[in-house]
C-alpha cells in the first residue's frame, strides 16, 4: 500500500473503503476489550472459515444443478503465489533496524543527560505519561488513536486556516515561555548559546 492510498483512506476519499477499514479496526479493538486476543483471533478465523465453506458448498450445489464444469471457486487464489520475497523482508528489516538504532541513540542521549533541557523535557513527558497510564489502558489508547487517525485529518482539512492560526499562537507562547524559563534558571542554557 503506497502513501497516497493511505492518505486517501484517512481523508475518506472513498467512503465505503474508509468506512470498512475504520469499522473493521474499531470492531477488532472493541472486541479485544471484551475477549482475549486468542478468542478474538479464533472467532475471526471461524467466521471467515464459515463464509468460505458456505460459499464453496453453494458453488458446488450450483454447479451440480446447472451441470457446469466451473471447478473450484477459489482456484485462482489457490494458484496464486503468496510467498514473501527475501528482498522485501530484507528491505523492511533494514528500515526497522535503522529506526531502532536511531531510537537507541536518542534514548541514550536523554538518559545520560547529554543536554539537560532535553532530558528535563523527556522527564516531564514521562511524568505526564504516568498520569495517562493511570487513566487509560493501552487498548483504550489504541481505540482513541484509531478514531483520531480517521477524524483529525478531515477536520484539519475543513478548518485548516483557523487551526493553523491557533497552533502558531500556541507555538509562539510555548517558545516564549520555554525561552523565559531557560534564561531564568542557571545551568539550563543550551550548549549552542
Amino acid at each position: 500500500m503506497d502513501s497516497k492510498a493511505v492518505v486517501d483512506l484517512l481523508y475518506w476519499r472513498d467512503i465505503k473503503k474508509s468506512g470498512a477499514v475504520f469499522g473493521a479496526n474499531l470492531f477488532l479493538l472493541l472486541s479485544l476489550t471484551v475477549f482475549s486476543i486468542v478468542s478474538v483471533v479464533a472467532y475471526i478465523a471461524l467466521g471467515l472459515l464459515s463464509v468460505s465453506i458456505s460459499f464453496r458448498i453453494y458453488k458446488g450445489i450450483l454447479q451440480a444443478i446447472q451441470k457446469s464444469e466451473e471447478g473450484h471457486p477459489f482456484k485462482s487464489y489457490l494458484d496464486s503465489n503468496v510467498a514473501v520475497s527475501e528482498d522485501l523482508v530484507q528491505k523492511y528489516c533494514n528500515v526497522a533496524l535503522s529506526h531502532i538504532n536511531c531510537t537507541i541513540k536518542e534514548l541514550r542521549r536523554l538518559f545520560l543527560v547529554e543536554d539537560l533541557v532535553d532530558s528535563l523535557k523527556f522527564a516531564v513527558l514521562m511524568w505526564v505519561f504516568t498520569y495517562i497510564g493511570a487513566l487509560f489502558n493501552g487498548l483504550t489508547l489504541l481505540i482513541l488513536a484509531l478514531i483520531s487517525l480517521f477524524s483529525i485529518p478531515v477536520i484539519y482539512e475543513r478548518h485548516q486556516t483557523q487551526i493553523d492560526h491557533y497552533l502558531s499562537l500556541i507555538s509562539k507562547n510555548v517558545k516564549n515561555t520555554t525561552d523565559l524559563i531557560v534564561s531564568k534558571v542557571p545551568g539550563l542554557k543550551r550548549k549552542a548559546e
Side-chain angles (χ1 to χ4, degrees):
M1 191 175 228
D2 61 350
S3 61
K4 185 183 179 332
V6 172
V7 169
D8 288 345
L9 196 67
L10 295 179
Y11 280 93
W12 295 78
R13 304 282 191 244
D14 182 1
I15 293 177
K16 289 180 183 177
K17 194 182 290 186
S18 294
V21 170
F22 175 70
N25 283 315
L26 188 62
F27 178 75
L28 176 68
L29 290 174
L30 290 174
S31 297
L32 287 173
T33 62
V34 178
F35 303 108
S36 71
I37 192 164
V38 174
S39 297
V40 170
V41 169
Y43 283 130
I44 290 172
L46 279 173
L48 290 173
L49 198 55
S50 299
V51 169
S52 62
I53 289 172
S54 300
F55 185 71
R56 172 80 161 94
I57 292 171
Y58 166 75
K59 285 300 238 180
I61 292 171
L62 203 60
Q63 287 174 7
I65 292 173
Q66 294 177 347
K67 295 186 181 2
S68 67
E69 295 294 325
E70 290 181 19
H72 197 287
F74 299 118
K75 180 92 169 121
S76 62
Y77 297 111
L78 290 170
D79 292 341
S80 66
N81 185 12
V82 292
V84 178
S85 70
E86 289 183 34
D87 295 336
L88 188 67
V89 171
Q90 190 69 34
K91 174 186 164 189
Y92 286 112
C93 283
N94 287 338
V95 170
L97 184 63
S98 170
H99 288 298
I100 289 169
N101 286 335
C102 183
T103 302
I104 289 171
K105 281 172 119 176
E106 185 64 20
L107 288 174
R108 179 185 67 188
R109 189 181 77 75
L110 291 170
F111 279 108
L112 297 179
V113 194
E114 182 178 309
D115 183 3
L116 183 61
V117 174
D118 287 344
S119 293
L120 288 173
K121 287 179 188 176
F122 185 66
V124 169
L125 180 68
M126 292 300 108
W127 179 69
V128 169
F129 279 167
T130 62
Y131 285 101
I132 291 172
L135 295 173
F136 305 107
N137 65 18
L139 223 48
T140 305
L141 290 175
L142 283 174
I143 292 169
L144 291 173
L146 178 72
I147 292 170
S148 298
L149 193 64
F150 277 87
S151 61
I152 289 175
V154 176
I155 293 169
Y156 179 73
E157 187 178 52
R158 290 189 183 147
H159 306 286
Q160 184 173 0
T161 54
Q162 297 97 332
I163 292 172
D164 285 345
H165 172 70
Y166 288 115
L167 284 177
S168 68
L169 288 175
I170 291 170
S171 175
K172 193 166 126 185
N173 287 335
V174 167
K175 185 181 179 327
N176 290 341
T177 306
T178 305
D179 290 344
L180 181 68
I181 291 171
V182 168
S183 69
K184 298 286 182 185
V185 177
L188 286 185
K189 293 197 179 182
R190 294 189 169 269
K191 291 179 180 179
E193 294 179 349

